[in-house]
Amino acid sequence: MTLSFSVLASGSSGNAFFIGTEKERILVDAGLTGKELQRLLGEAGIDPASLTKILVTHEHSDHIKGLGVAARKFDLPIYANEKTWKAMENSIGKIPLDHKFVFDMEETKTFGDLDVQSFGVSHDAAEPMFYTFHHEGKKVALVTDTGYVSDRVKKIVEKADAYIFEANHDVSMLQMGAYPWNVKRRILGDLGHVSNEDSALALTDLIDNNTKRIYLAHLSRDNNMKDLARLAVGNILQERGFDLNKHIELHDTDPKTPTPIFQIV
């Protein structure tokens, strides 16, 4: 029995993540059109009809754009905390009452053979939260859309087998770029997004001998590049003594192309 996942899409234009076991096949967020979601699932080799539920992190459009469509088309229940439900209910269309479920922050739910733990992050949404997934002693942590990684979050997500971790921007690119200052200030602030360097520094406190892969996620289209993020994070990890050639692999994510399904065995 394995824990498998794919980053279907990641970036400011849309986010979706798949995690599966023998009994559960879960979609986390649906931030693209229904048509795009179907394409991404197909490219990853995932039958949309096999999905069992959708978990939501927060109400920003790049995380819920296709949520209502996907839930209705594939008859999927949706899980989100109460504040997120209130913030997004006018944007996702009609959802049957028996398909609406509350998943509170700082709660652990068991779905079949998968335990899912939610935790709050620092972001400018109603009550944003992300998840760790546990199965047969294996752990995957999903951490994006946060202005910083607190000690509380670090304790929850530490020692995972795989991380999908935000590396949103290069600070110099952002500062010199064309964004208005108020937008730059939001991104750089505690309710914004984690930079390449801060991502790497947080990861040095989290990864251990069990960690096999790190997927750099939610890269800014305008203020980052895959090569730059990988270089910045990789250099800091190597400076801190982590061997990226033997034990830990750094991987890219993309807003339009899913990562191959990876199985943790």
Side-chain angles (χ1 to χ4, degrees):
M1 298 174 67
T2 61
L3 183 61
S4 60
F5 65 88
S6 169
V7 184
L8 299 171
S10 185
S12 55
S13 61
N15 297 272
F17 174 72
F18 166 81
I19 186 133
T21 61
E22 185 176 308
K23 296 181 180 179
E24 288 292 330
R25 297 173 72 78
I26 295 175
L27 184 65
V28 183
D29 289 339
L32 305 99
T33 66
K35 184 177 180 180
E36 276 292 284
L37 281 170
Q38 278 194 264
R39 179 187 66 79
L40 291 164
L41 288 163
E43 288 187 10
I46 301 162
D47 180 1
S50 72
L51 296 174
T52 55
K53 55 186 59 69
I54 307 176
L55 308 184
V56 181
T57 63
H58 61 295
E59 76 279 5
H60 289 171
S61 62
D62 59 324
H63 293 261
I64 65 162
K65 186 182 298 180
L67 177 61
V69 171
R72 288 185 289 272
K73 184 173 182 61
F74 303 112
D75 194 30
L76 294 170
I78 301 173
Y79 290 75
N81 63 52
E82 289 187 357
K83 289 185 179 179
T84 298
W85 269 117
K86 290 178 182 177
M88 73 180 182
E89 59 186 354
N90 292 331
S91 302
I92 63 174
K94 186 173 179 59
I95 302 296
L97 188 60
D98 62 355
H99 277 41
K100 298 174 70 172
F101 292 88
V102 173
F103 195 150
D104 289 327
M105 184 184 290
E106 316 296 339
E107 179 183 11
T108 299
K109 284 186 178 293
T110 298
F111 301 116
D113 56 356
L114 183 66
D115 294 327
V116 183
Q117 181 180 11
S118 66
F119 57 92
V121 295
S122 180
H123 194 52
D124 55 353
E127 192 168 76
M129 67 183 193
F130 282 80
Y131 304 96
T132 59
F133 304 89
H134 305 258
H135 171 75
E136 298 290 329
K138 305 300 182 183
K139 176 179 178 180
V140 174
L142 176 62
V143 190
T144 69
D145 296 78
T146 186
Y148 67 98
V149 184
S150 68
D151 289 340
R152 175 185 57 82
V153 169
K154 288 179 181 178
K155 189 65 178 174
I156 293 168
V157 305
E158 67 180 359
K159 301 178 182 179
D161 293 87
Y163 288 96
I164 298 85
F165 210 86
E166 180 166 62
N168 176 256
H169 58 275
D170 174 81
V171 173
S172 295
M173 283 185 69
L174 175 62
Q175 290 176 332
M176 295 186 295
Y179 282 12
W181 172 241
N182 65 313
V183 176
K184 294 180 182 180
R185 184 168 55 189
R186 169 195 170 265
I187 294 170
L188 292 166
D190 284 350
L191 298 178
H193 292 279
V194 172
S195 70
N196 296 338
E197 290 75 13
D198 286 343
S199 175
L201 292 172
L203 283 164
T204 61
D205 293 333
L206 302 176
I207 56 183
D208 73 351
N209 292 333
N210 292 324
T211 305
K212 300 170 182 65
R213 291 192 175 195
I214 299 168
Y215 291 75
L216 301 180
H218 215 294
L219 272 66
S220 169
R221 180 179 54 195
D222 300 314
N223 302 303
N224 211 349
M225 296 179 290
K226 290 179 184 178
D227 289 346
L228 181 58
R230 205 180 326 108
L231 183 65
V233 172
N235 282 346
I236 290 175
L237 291 179
Q238 288 179 318
E239 287 170 2
R240 299 299 176 94
F242 295 98
D243 191 337
L244 300 184
N245 297 314
K246 289 185 178 180
H247 303 301
I248 301 170
E249 297 180 10
L250 277 182
H251 289 265
D252 298 324
T253 62
D254 192 87
K256 295 184 178 180
T257 304
T259 64
I261 288 180
F262 178 63
Q263 295 185 336
I264 302 173
V265 295

